[in-house]
Amino acid sequence: MLTLRGACATVEISEHGAEPHSLRAPDGHELLWQAGEAWRRHAPILFPIVGRVPDDTITVDGRAHPLTQHGFARDLEWDVVTSDESSATLVLRDDDETRERFPFAFELTAHYAVDDDGFATTYEVRNAGDDRAMPVSIGSHPAFAWPIEPGAAKTDHVVVFDEPEPAPIRRLDHTLVLPGHQPSPFDGSTLRLDPALFAPDAIVMDRVASRGLRYVAPSGRGLRMTWDDVFDVFVVWSRPDGAHLLCLEPCVGGAAPIDFAGELRDKPGVVMIPAGGRLVASYRIDPLLP
């Protein structure tokens, strides 16, 4: 486990999946969900797909490849490239096993750093092949404690986006995107949290206007999240069964439509990285104290 310490955040990162396991505010308060029976992850990296594809199978150049929900990066051991008191860089490269599921040469790098404000994450995806474009999606799936302030009611928490979010949202069926859009659940820029919001699964914002938000309890404790323009989809998810977690997920692309069939390159939301090219996407989490 790698530990990064800064003035406003202390972060622990596992080499397994390059996954943050802990994010503590300056007063020691834990912000991340600490993995339990309801969901045994903390903040996985989603690659080379976000969400699911029908039959958990992708097609590349006419050949079928098994690829389960959110891809494989979250379940593999990463190599540590650099690590010090305030930053760490980990890398995942293709091998025989990954090419059976995703037949491309790639290099995926996760760079983490703590600074005077909080915790910054940068993903870099490099197409290591020399002959064809590579279709990918990538996302982050951090789960935060909900309630984030012990003793506070879950329904007293809000997520306030930087801009009004009137655009219709997408909903899922067995983690695949249903046709059409549903009305926005926002009150202006505010999403008032309630477990009932997630009875139809995640809130998928494929027309998100904002590039930042605040997730806060009544006391003001919580976090500020900001992301760059490369992330074109934002997902808010929790389990409707009372689990104490709230996921706030900046993504490049999303799950496949429930009726999708065809080549991976034609899946809505994928980015085509040319041979030798790169995709870079960054976001950050800054703790807020009461």
Side-chain angles (χ1 to χ4, degrees):
M1 194 75 69
L2 308 174
T3 302
L4 312 182
R5 294 183 175 89
C8 288
T10 300
V11 180
E12 294 180 0
I13 299 163
S14 172
E15 292 93 333
H16 184 77
E19 181 179 359
H21 279 209
S22 174
L23 170 57
R24 296 189 297 276
D27 61 357
H29 187 83
E30 180 64 65
L31 301 180
L32 279 184
W33 158 256
Q34 287 302 288
E37 285 190 17
W39 197 61
R40 296 194 177 278
R41 301 181 188 268
H42 304 264
I45 297 171
L46 317 181
F47 175 88
I49 59 172
V50 171
R52 281 188 60 219
V53 290
D55 300 320
D56 292 324
T57 301
I58 61 170
T59 301
V60 177
D61 296 333
R63 180 183 170 189
H65 300 265
L67 190 59
T68 53
Q69 184 178 16
H70 296 322
F72 48 69
R74 61 184 183 166
D75 294 320
L76 300 177
E77 296 297 320
W78 292 48
D79 295 322
V80 178
V81 179
T82 62
S83 176
D84 57 32
E85 181 77 6
S86 62
S87 67
T89 300
L90 299 92
V91 66
L92 180 70
R93 297 181 178 89
D94 65 282
D95 59 20
D96 291 344
E97 179 187 354
T98 68
R99 286 190 293 272
E100 283 297 312
R101 293 184 276 173
F102 180 69
F104 294 92
F106 69 84
E107 183 178 270
L108 172 58
T109 302
H111 178 72
Y112 299 114
V114 293
D115 55 30
D116 289 343
D117 296 312
F119 175 48
T121 296
T122 298
Y123 301 135
E124 181 177 316
V125 185
R126 183 172 71 88
N127 182 349
D130 58 8
D131 61 345
R132 58 177 174 169
M134 179 174 71
V136 299
S137 293
I138 186 167
S140 187
H141 198 322
F144 301 101
W146 180 31
I148 205 165
E149 182 76 87
K154 295 176 86 171
T155 51
D156 286 340
H157 291 63
V158 294
V159 180
V160 183
F161 282 69
D162 287 358
E163 304 292 338
E165 296 290 349
I169 62 165
R170 295 278 194 175
R171 288 291 196 177
L172 307 177
D173 181 13
H174 295 92
T175 65
L176 295 170
V177 178
L178 289 166
H181 284 80
Q182 301 294 323
S184 171
F186 283 80
D187 179 6
S189 60
T190 300
L191 183 65
R192 303 187 187 280
L193 293 175
D194 189 308
L197 277 172
F198 306 104
D201 211 311
I203 296 168
V204 180
M205 304 168 67
D206 62 352
R207 303 178 186 180
V208 60
S210 302
R211 290 296 175 265
L213 60 77
R214 290 182 301 114
Y215 164 45
V216 290
S219 67
R221 182 181 294 282
L223 59 92
R224 167 105 172 121
M225 176 184 281
T226 54
W227 56 94
D228 67 23
D229 288 343
V230 179
F231 291 111
D232 58 348
V233 175
F234 200 90
V235 179
V236 185
W237 176 75
S238 184
R239 297 178 62 93
D241 57 7
H244 298 297
L245 63 92
L246 179 76
C247 296
L248 301 170
E249 309 169 36
C251 298
V252 180
I258 196 168
D259 59 351
F260 176 74
E263 292 278 328
L264 179 61
R265 62 175 174 264
D266 297 323
K267 175 182 169 292
V270 300
V271 174
M272 300 298 294
I273 304 177
R278 299 171 188 267
L279 171 72
V280 179
S282 300
Y283 79 100
R284 61 178 301 122
I285 301 166
D286 300 330
L288 300 174
L289 295 178

